[in-house]
Amino acid sequence: MLSRAGVGLRLPHLSEVVATRPPAGWLEIHPENFLANPHAFELLLQLAGDYPISVHTVGVSIGSASGVDWAHVARIRELIDLVNPVLVSGHLAWSTHRGEYLNDLLPLPYDDETLDLLAMHLHQVQDGLGRPFLVENPSSYFGFGTSTMTEVEFLGELVRRTGCRLLCDVSNVYVSSENLGYDARAYLDGLPAEAIGELHLGGFQSEDDPDAGTRVLVDTHDTAIADEAWRLYTYALRRFGPKPTLIEWDDDLPSFADLLDEATLASVLARQAAQGAPHVAR
Amino acid sequence: MSLAELQQRVRDAIVLGRDALENVSLVAGQGDGWRRLAIHHRHYETSLVKGLLRRFPATAWLLGSPLLIEAARIFIKACPPTAPCLAEYGETFPPWLSGWSELAHVPYAGDFAALDWQLGKVSIEVETPAVTFDVFAALEADAMTAVRLRLQPGLDYLKAAWPIDNLMRLYLTDTAPEHLVLEPEHIWLQVRGARGQFDFARLSESEFLFRQGVHAAIPLGEAADCALDRDDSFDPGRALTALFTDDLVTSILTAASEDTCEIHR
Ligand SMILES: [Fe+2]
């Protein structure tokens, strides 16, 4: 199951996918798009009979010191009970603060206080959803000077404490490694391979930072996957073995067929890795 | 500094665009952490402003995109989203626009934006099977006034002090004249939609009060009294029958005892 790569299903493609049932291996949705749209939810339920569905929330903020929005978790539970997803996931990040939703995945300091909070929230969220909740590594533009652990150490400790599984967003690893100046392959080497349950690939943009004389990679999900990310993906496949892989595209959407083309490439690379074939560079 | 304090400061930087956080150390490889933090501020602003523009297309037509963008930029600082489903963000934007001094010369802007919001809201709903009048007629006659009805999800009622429905039709049909004089006029509207479609129609004030009361699930007798208080020629029987013939009723709730009995068709 999920041996072929999946595609993120966004609302502008929904009617087309319902009408034409394109050959996607599986579909990943943001539940927040469907909970607020009963008509879209109705169409999603039609698709759930024909495609494996993965539920990837952007609104369950396990990193918020002011607490998790349990009413939102309950709404997602209702959706999950109807859709019966093959995977449920969210982010190593925070997005809400005291009842406000900041519409972004914001970075956390990696220290004992954050670890205690996330371990507690993760147990509670998994109880609330009645499912394992995969945690995705963020794309970062900066970190906090007060961090006492690297992100890899933090994720490893979170897995050790909670038994959670991880969603490794390969593009995020590349973006963060370029922005923060570390080795992306060493990052992948440091993750607990047995905990990896899903991989993501998404597009990013490069911006100049003229004052600092550097560039910054911004995780925009509005463009094709870069060659560097594909290369890192083949490395991740060798390190973790084939894993359910998703093509993420959220803005300036291309045709659904273009997304399927990227998914096909990911599937080919995964098959080659499984057969031990040499890496095919794009 | 606790995580809660840190997140409060980052929140202020993102929502309000403050460019310095006391006692917070950011690291960003070769880059400048403060400039990197501004990427999140920019994302907050551009994504929410874009979302509001998409949510209020007719209002953008009426006011022009630059003015609506200016309004949205101020609004998102004053009233950040409070829930993660962004399609639900913006319900308080119309009343906020009504009070925005820059729009004092467009006194109908808030009412118009409220209609814009409602049309978007009902158009993503689904219609459910309607109950027919004979199901209601089979109830005990003396229990009827205590009955409450549940109506279609894609239904709402709003009143305005300007003929914003006429203005909305100009937008929807792309037939706006070069100059238009709008005179104040009280109107009462029913907005209905489902699965990408929507429509709106004027009601008399008494019909509006009756339907609004039924929609709010007050007992039928009380809804009829609201309408009769306004207009003693109001005909409750005819108004009730119209709810059924318009396929608006999805269930009938009787409260003969403490238990609520729900009758579907
Ligand atoms: Fe991702």
Side-chain angles (χ1 to χ4, degrees):
Chain A
M1 196 169 196
L2 311 190
S3 54
R4 285 189 296 144
V7 173
L9 175 62
R10 306 299 173 244
L11 293 183
H13 286 143
L14 181 58
S15 307
E16 177 193 342
V17 172
V18 169
T20 64
R21 308 293 162 124
W26 49 287
L27 302 171
E28 187 161 282
I29 61 144
H30 295 165
E32 289 76 14
N33 290 340
F34 293 86
L35 290 171
N37 188 327
H39 179 41
F41 201 158
E42 182 182 49
L43 297 175
L44 173 67
L45 292 179
Q46 293 177 26
L47 293 177
D50 287 351
Y51 295 93
I53 303 286
S54 164
V55 169
H56 184 56
T57 171
V58 292
V60 174
S61 178
I62 58 172
S64 283
S66 60
V68 170
D69 179 349
W70 296 112
H72 186 57
V73 172
R75 288 178 82 183
I76 294 179
R77 174 64 186 260
E78 285 177 25
L79 180 145
I80 282 174
D81 287 346
L82 290 168
V83 168
N84 192 24
V86 287
L87 293 166
V88 178
S89 56
H91 299 87
L92 177 66
W94 64 286
S95 56
T96 60
H97 184 67
R98 295 187 177 173
E100 290 176 353
Y101 177 64
L102 303 175
N103 196 33
D104 207 345
L105 299 164
L106 299 164
L108 290 159
Y110 298 131
D111 58 20
D112 288 335
E113 184 192 359
T114 309
L115 189 57
D116 289 345
L117 181 84
L118 258 84
M120 179 180 75
H121 283 163
L122 203 44
H123 279 306
Q124 293 170 334
V125 166
Q126 294 192 126
D127 280 351
L129 296 178
R131 305 275 177 141
F133 186 83
L134 277 66
V135 179
E136 176 178 349
N137 57 296
S139 56
S140 302
Y141 311 128
F142 64 87
F144 292 97
T146 51
S147 288
T148 55
M149 291 171 243
T150 65
E151 190 169 286
V152 166
E153 289 167 345
F154 188 91
L155 284 167
E157 190 58 23
L158 194 63
V159 168
R160 198 187 62 75
R161 278 206 205 179
T162 66
C164 74
R165 304 188 76 201
L166 300 177
L167 190 175
C168 177
D169 188 314
V170 175
S171 297
N172 287 359
V173 172
Y174 182 77
V175 165
S176 299
S177 71
E178 288 291 301
N179 288 341
L180 303 184
Y182 59 73
D183 182 342
R185 292 185 176 204
Y187 182 105
L188 295 177
D189 290 342
L191 289 177
E194 65 287 354
I196 305 297
E198 184 182 346
L199 302 174
H200 270 184
L201 284 164
F204 50 81
Q205 302 279 1
S206 177
E207 288 183 12
D208 286 333
D209 188 351
D211 285 359
T214 60
R215 64 174 190 149
V216 58
L217 299 183
V218 181
D219 186 26
T220 49
H221 291 191
D222 65 353
T223 187
I225 296 157
D227 289 351
E228 300 94 321
W230 283 115
R231 280 194 284 275
L232 194 60
Y233 176 60
T234 59
Y235 185 82
L237 290 169
R238 286 203 292 271
R239 164 95 177 95
F240 305 132
K243 298 287 176 187
T245 298
L246 181 90
I247 305 300
E248 278 191 306
W249 201 315
D250 291 309
D251 243 329
D252 293 338
L253 287 170
S255 71
F256 198 80
D258 286 346
L259 296 179
L260 287 177
D261 286 347
E262 295 220 299
T264 300
L265 178 56
S267 300
V268 168
L269 293 172
R271 257 199 314 278
Q272 289 176 345
Q275 294 162 357
H279 160 56
V280 179
R282 289 215 320 171
Chain B
M1 182 184 300
S2 70
L3 183 62
E5 290 167 329
L6 175 69
Q7 291 185 341
Q8 178 65 49
R9 292 178 189 209
V10 173
R11 176 265 174 214
D12 289 346
I14 287 169
V15 174
L16 305 173
R18 291 187 186 151
D19 61 357
L21 304 183
E22 275 174 35
N23 303 323
V24 177
S25 149
L26 303 183
V27 291
Q30 301 294 309
D32 176 335
W34 305 109
R35 296 176 66 88
R36 299 282 179 86
L37 177 60
I39 295 172
H40 290 291
H41 168 61
R42 189 182 71 199
H43 175 78
Y44 176 81
E45 188 172 282
T46 54
S47 65
L48 292 183
V49 167
K50 194 169 152 190
L52 287 172
L53 253 70
R54 209 182 297 131
R55 199 63 186 74
F56 291 90
T59 313
W61 164 83
L62 178 71
L63 302 178
S65 293
L67 189 58
L68 196 64
I69 288 170
E70 188 187 339
R73 281 205 180 114
I74 302 168
F75 176 74
I76 62 169
K77 285 190 170 91
C79 310
T82 54
C85 297
L86 275 190
E88 294 167 350
Y89 180 55
E91 188 166 14
T92 59
F93 192 39
W96 184 90
L97 285 174
S98 292
W100 191 39
S101 57
E102 296 293 314
L103 285 179
H105 64 292
V106 195
Y108 44 86
D111 283 347
F112 187 77
L115 178 57
D116 201 5
W117 169 265
Q118 286 299 346
L119 295 179
K121 186 161 177 275
V122 299
S123 70
I124 56 171
E125 286 290 350
V126 291
E127 288 244 314
T128 54
V131 179
T132 52
F133 185 73
D134 51 319
V135 178
F136 179 82
L139 295 174
E140 296 283 337
D142 55 357
M144 285 179 177
T145 55
V147 159
R148 292 175 292 121
L149 303 179
R150 188 168 291 150
L151 302 184
Q152 293 289 358
L155 197 61
D156 224 321
Y157 295 90
L158 75 157
K159 58 183 176 181
W162 295 85
I164 51 167
D165 53 342
N166 293 341
L167 202 52
M168 185 61 78
R169 287 194 203 287
L170 293 178
Y171 163 70
L172 292 170
T173 54
D174 196 16
T175 52
E178 198 68 21
H179 293 285
L180 178 72
V181 178
L182 221 56
E183 299 291 346
E185 177 188 1
H186 286 285
I187 61 164
W188 296 270
L189 292 176
Q190 172 178 281
V191 179
R192 183 179 183 180
R195 299 187 177 99
Q197 308 292 318
F198 58 79
D199 201 1
F200 49 93
R202 284 192 192 190
L203 302 174
S204 69
E205 185 178 10
S206 54
E207 185 91 6
F208 175 89
L209 290 169
F210 176 71
R211 289 194 176 200
Q212 188 184 41
V214 173
H215 185 243
I218 67 172
L220 284 178
E222 288 180 33
D225 287 344
C226 287
L228 284 163
D229 278 350
R230 182 65 59 190
D231 175 7
D232 55 14
S233 70
F234 175 73
D235 180 347
R238 192 195 53 76
L240 180 63
T241 310
L243 291 180
F244 287 92
T245 50
D246 287 351
D247 289 336
L248 295 182
V249 183
T250 60
S251 51
I252 300 170
L253 309 163
T254 64
S257 64
E258 293 218 327
D259 297 326
T260 299
C261 165
E262 193 163 337
I263 303 169
H264 299 281
R265 68 171 194 160

